[in-house]
Amino acid sequence: MALPPFAAFASANIFERTTAAAGRSNGSIGIVEIPHKTVKRITCMGSGFVGGPTSAVIAYKSDVEVTVVDINADRIAAWKSKALPIYEPGLDEIVQAVSARVHPSQHHDSHEPNAASDNVARVRHAKLFFSTDVDQAIADADLIFVCVNTPTKTHGIGKGSAADLDFVEAATRSIARVATQDKIVVEKSTVPCRTAQSIREILAANAHPGVRFDVLSNPEFLAEGTAIRDLLNPDRIIIGSMPTPAGYRAAATLAGIYEQWVPRERIITMNLWSSELSKLAANAMLAQRISSVNALSAICEATGADVDEVSYACGLDSRIGPQMLKAGPGFGGSCFQKDIFNIVYLSESLHLYEIADYWRAVINMNEHQKQRFTKRIIACLYNNLAGKKLAVLGFAFKKNTSDTRESPAITLVSNFVAERARVAIYDPRVQEDQVWRELVNSGSDAEMLKRNVSVCRTAYEACVAADAVVVMTEWDEFSNKSTSGATVRKEERKPLATLDVNNYPSASTSSQDTDHDASRSLSSPQLDGAAGFWVPSRRGTGVVIKDPSNGQIKTFTSQRPTSGSSLSHSPGGGSVSVQSPPRQIPSLQSRYVDVPPDGPLVSPYQFPGEYLTSEGFPTGCEVARATSTHSTVASSIERRRQAAEVTQKGATATRLDWARIASGMRKPRFVFDGRNILDHSKLEALGFRVEAIGKRGTVVSE
């Protein structure tokens, strides 16, 4: 029986592919529906940047109970606290919505008789748990995600390029040792091609008598900073399985979980090895684009071209597209470099040395970009950094994440210290101990770091008496570019990912309300301005707006309306102000609004008219108040707008005052824009000399 290279799901069930196809339709290979078991409990081994967010969203969007386990007790304690161990826009809200502070086996004992009723209901219906009891979580699970770290080896054969699979093997052996019932084991960590075969062999060799394990590959395709959006509205879900009936049934089971919120056509099946390699290939190609545009940035600096303009022109070609064409100091993060090294090592192992050289060149260009930016900074500062103070703004490898792994800032700060510069670092999301850990692990002299590096609480503190400011992370608060009056092309508008609060049962849900459309207790959504999507809040309000993409009214409601609920045209007593004649909205279930990625902060208290009116909103149309027997509006439209103005002002106030920074710096004042997020003309008007990657610097008049 041969497994086709890929296939999309076409019905509520996954299908077994057979070579004896009765016929083909729309390019699909003959399919036979097969049964599969339903998962009630998932265990995720690993609580890092993949395991934590993935588990939270699965618990939020599905009817499955998820337990995240880790041997690191401090990390699990952080997940249970109000200060999560990682920062990801929207993550905190989802974790709060569906998590408990105890393991499911304990939570019946956690309630005091006089506990507040809302807290009791919250824990009783929680679906996300965090624990250090690995064995118990394995025993309880129907399906196990392996989301452990797979760093690059630092020893032995393959040092510096091969993946270190110690944690994967340890997790696999734990599963085999503990499990006394059949389990589906899902390889979610990024691993070299054919790692699943090793997992299968270890499980088979160590399994208890009569216990069967099915191994799947389900790689993650998350971008840090937008991981929640990527999980809620993924481009694709890849599931790799063995080409056997048992393998197909296991894939069907996993697909059944994702089908609860992911369109079926986005769930793709393939064989195990293709699935494993697809993750490495995707990251390698994305990194290749970054290295390509960074290579062009050097040509731009030498010729007077502007790399942003060149990238924009290239991105308009539909064969290329605009994504990942932003020049910078080099790519970072845990994936790109590690995954390319995996491909290099795999190629060399297969004696494909030219292929290995090709991909190694992508990494070499990335390292060259960091060194080239360092040399430009040194040259502009008169070839001498000794005793000079450099303020480094941003230490995370990209905005909207606290991840510093392989951040270009690590290399540049180390270079500055080696040149005897004094370095002051500020990042709004990275903890001080994390900065020190990265710098020490980079190989820099610890005593020299202690003498010459400081981690500051504010950007202003970092910039006082500085000779230069180096922008290393594209945090919005660092930018001085104007956001007012910006227009977004219609083709750039995309519906936001939906946080479907219907999937979270309320304490009042009756036992018979178990079908997909059963009445649920909902929370009104609020928009996370950094992430650009709706997140739940505890308020019980309803909001109606018009969707510019299709002209339909979209409703955010706190309860499912009873039969016969409707919205009237009357602005008082409240319903909705729309074009005449008034429209009946049969189901208050739509929960998204089209908001440009770069648009201003929007919440249920703010009418996004400045960029939506021209797309079809009638004059005077407002965010509406919706009412039904289960939903009331807490405040008037005017009060919502006033609240929105306060929110907007607060968000704007967090941006840096570059005039204030200029007043405290030594002259000549240099700004090195490593991310091209600054308006250079505005800075030059303040007396700065500006240098940016891929652009000519400030021309100094004689």
Side-chain angles (χ1 to χ4, degrees):
M1 187 177 295
L3 185 70
F6 62 88
F9 292 105
S11 76
N13 296 319
I14 191 173
F15 297 101
E16 179 180 5
R17 276 71 180 172
T18 67
T19 53
R24 299 189 178 190
S25 175
N26 297 324
S28 64
I29 297 176
I31 50 180
V32 178
E33 188 171 346
I34 62 172
H36 59 274
K37 72 176 183 179
T38 300
V39 169
K40 295 182 179 179
R41 285 186 174 180
I42 290 175
T43 286
C44 177
M45 301 182 72
S47 61
F49 279 89
V50 175
T54 299
S55 298
V57 170
I58 289 177
Y60 187 80
K61 297 295 290 185
S62 75
D63 55 8
V64 178
E65 187 178 274
V66 184
T67 299
V68 181
V69 294
D70 203 303
I71 60 175
N72 187 328
D74 291 339
R75 196 170 186 86
I76 290 298
W79 277 107
K80 292 181 178 182
S81 72
K82 293 183 179 181
L84 300 185
I86 63 176
Y87 172 71
E88 191 68 42
L91 175 61
D92 184 67
E93 291 84 352
I94 291 182
V95 170
Q96 288 185 36
V98 294
S99 70
R101 304 308 178 192
V102 293
H103 188 272
S105 63
Q106 302 170 320
H107 79 251
H108 288 299
D109 299 330
S110 65
H111 308 309
E112 297 295 332
N114 60 351
S117 59
D118 58 342
N119 291 333
V120 172
R122 181 178 180 82
V123 175
R124 183 180 300 150
H125 291 276
K127 296 188 295 179
L128 178 65
F129 306 90
F130 300 96
S131 175
T132 56
D133 192 344
V134 177
D135 288 2
Q136 185 63 52
I138 291 173
D140 291 344
D142 303 308
L143 182 148
I144 300 170
F145 281 122
V146 178
C147 298
V148 297
N149 193 20
T150 55
T152 301
K153 285 186 71 173
T154 59
H155 58 277
I157 297 175
K159 175 182 177 180
S161 57
D164 188 337
L165 299 179
D166 283 354
F167 298 123
V168 173
E169 181 171 345
T172 303
R173 291 185 179 276
S174 294
I175 294 169
R177 174 178 55 82
V178 173
T180 57
Q181 295 179 330
D182 294 354
K183 307 286 183 185
I184 297 175
V185 179
V186 182
E187 168 195 82
K188 206 161 186 66
S189 300
T190 303
V191 294
C193 190
R194 298 196 72 85
T195 299
Q197 182 61 31
S198 300
I199 293 175
R200 294 177 70 243
E201 291 178 1
I202 293 172
L203 290 172
N206 295 277
H208 291 283
V211 176
R212 175 186 176 84
F213 296 101
D214 291 299
V215 178
L216 301 175
S217 170
N218 177 217
E220 53 85 16
F221 295 96
L222 309 180
E224 291 186 47
T226 60
I228 300 302
R229 175 186 282 248
D230 297 339
L231 286 163
L232 293 166
N233 188 27
D235 295 325
R236 76 283 201 198
I237 297 293
I238 301 297
I239 301 175
S241 69
M242 292 297 292
T244 64
Y248 297 140
R249 285 193 294 271
T253 298
L254 181 56
I257 297 170
Y258 286 117
E259 278 184 344
Q260 296 181 55
W261 79 94
V262 179
R264 294 168 190 152
E265 63 272 10
R266 297 186 191 176
I267 304 176
I268 311 299
T269 58
M270 57 183 65
N271 71 48
L272 275 171
W273 329 127
S274 297
S275 177
E276 289 177 331
L277 188 56
S278 68
K279 168 63 175 179
L280 300 178
N283 278 347
M285 290 182 180
L286 292 172
Q288 180 192 48
R289 287 173 69 96
I290 296 174
S291 283
S292 295
V293 74
N294 281 342
L296 290 171
S297 71
I299 299 176
C300 290
E301 292 170 22
T303 61
D306 185 316
V307 71
D308 282 345
E309 295 175 348
V310 173
S311 298
Y312 177 75
C314 292
L316 292 176
D317 190 321
S318 60
R319 298 168 299 175
I320 299 174
Q323 300 299 318
M324 309 297 283
L325 289 180
K326 187 71 172 177
F331 56 76
S334 64
C335 294
F336 283 2
Q337 179 168 294
K338 179 186 69 173
D339 292 353
I340 294 176
F341 274 137
N342 274 335
I343 292 179
V344 169
Y345 184 71
L346 176 63
S347 300
E348 290 177 338
S349 300
L350 299 172
H351 307 294
L352 303 173
Y353 301 110
E354 294 82 3
I355 309 304
D357 290 343
Y358 173 83
W359 288 110
R360 187 181 286 108
V362 174
I363 296 176
N364 292 342
M365 176 53 63
N366 195 57
E367 293 305 310
H368 172 70
Q369 186 76 346
K370 301 174 193 177
Q371 301 305 327
R372 197 174 67 82
F373 192 37
T374 299
K375 291 176 181 178
R376 184 174 179 184
I377 293 170
I378 294 173
C380 289
L381 292 174
Y382 314 109
N383 294 306
N384 176 35
L385 297 187
K388 294 178 180 176
K389 180 181 178 180
L390 276 63
V392 174
L393 300 186
F395 199 78
F397 83 93
K398 63 185 290 190
K399 73 174 184 177
N400 292 335
T401 181
S402 57
D403 196 353
T404 57
R405 289 174 291 182
E406 304 295 342
S407 173
I410 300 170
T411 299
L412 268 78
V413 170
S414 298
N415 290 344
F416 298 155
V417 171
E419 293 289 330
R420 304 297 190 269
R422 294 179 296 118
V423 183
I425 302 169
Y426 167 73
D427 189 287
R429 290 292 177 178
V430 178
Q431 299 298 315
E432 180 174 354
D433 61 342
Q434 189 174 347
V435 173
W436 290 115
R437 184 167 57 250
E438 292 286 9
L439 292 175
V440 171
N441 291 341
S442 70
S444 297
D445 181 84
E447 286 301 318
M448 188 177 293
L449 288 173
K450 186 176 181 180
R451 289 196 304 269
N452 295 320
V453 176
S454 60
V455 180
C456 302
R457 294 180 177 272
T458 69
Y460 300 110
E461 178 188 345
C463 294
V464 169
D467 295 272
V469 176
V470 184
V471 178
M472 291 298 297
T473 309
E474 68 278 21
W475 288 105
D476 292 339
E477 68 181 75
F478 299 158
S479 177
N480 67 335
K481 290 185 177 180
S482 175
T483 58
S484 61
T487 59
V488 180
R489 294 193 302 275
K490 187 173 182 178
E491 61 269 22
E492 292 179 342
R493 303 173 186 267
K494 296 190 295 184
L496 297 174
T498 304
L499 291 179
D500 188 355
V501 287
N502 276 341
N503 280 330
Y504 187 63
S506 72
S508 61
T509 302
S510 61
S511 58
Q512 63 264 33
D513 290 335
T514 57
D515 63 289
H516 182 72
D517 292 325
S519 178
R520 308 288 190 183
S521 175
L522 310 182
S523 300
S524 65
Q526 292 180 328
L527 189 76
D528 185 315
F533 51 75
W534 295 94
V535 295
S537 73
R538 303 305 299 173
R539 293 178 59 87
T541 63
V543 178
V544 179
I545 66 162
K546 185 174 181 179
D547 183 358
S549 65
N550 55 23
Q552 295 180 355
I553 299 298
K554 298 295 178 183
T555 305
F556 297 79
T557 179
S558 63
Q559 292 273 349
R560 182 181 182 223
T562 57
S563 176
S565 297
S566 63
L567 298 177
S568 71
H569 187 55
S570 171
S575 231
V576 60
S577 175
V578 295
Q579 300 179 60
S580 295
R583 299 182 58 177
Q584 296 290 322
I585 302 180
S587 175
L588 305 184
Q589 297 296 312
S590 300
R591 292 169 297 276
Y592 71 89
V593 57
D594 188 39
V595 177
D598 298 325
L601 181 67
V602 182
S603 75
Y605 307 108
Q606 179 184 0
F607 171 57
E610 68 180 78
Y611 52 80
L612 292 181
T613 301
S614 61
E615 296 296 325
F617 270 77
T619 302
C621 181
E622 298 177 324
V623 175
R625 295 171 292 162
T627 59
S628 72
T629 55
H630 296 294
S631 175
T632 58
V633 176
S635 61
S636 67
I637 297 298
E638 184 58 35
R639 290 181 62 186
R640 291 170 187 251
R641 284 180 169 173
Q642 291 174 357
E645 290 174 1
V646 172
T647 303
Q648 282 283 77
K649 291 176 181 177
T652 303
T654 63
R655 301 186 78 182
L656 291 188
D657 182 350
W658 282 92
R660 177 180 171 185
I661 290 176
S663 66
M665 288 181 62
R666 296 176 60 187
K667 296 181 180 180
R669 310 180 189 97
F670 281 92
V671 172
F672 297 95
D673 186 2
R675 296 292 184 171
N676 284 315
I677 62 170
L678 300 174
D679 186 322
H680 296 180
S681 61
K682 289 182 179 179
L683 293 181
E684 288 168 350
L686 293 173
F688 287 103
R689 292 176 59 176
V690 185
E691 303 286 331
I693 288 178
K695 301 180 181 182
R696 286 279 181 89
T698 300
V699 177
V700 181
S701 58
E702 298 296 338

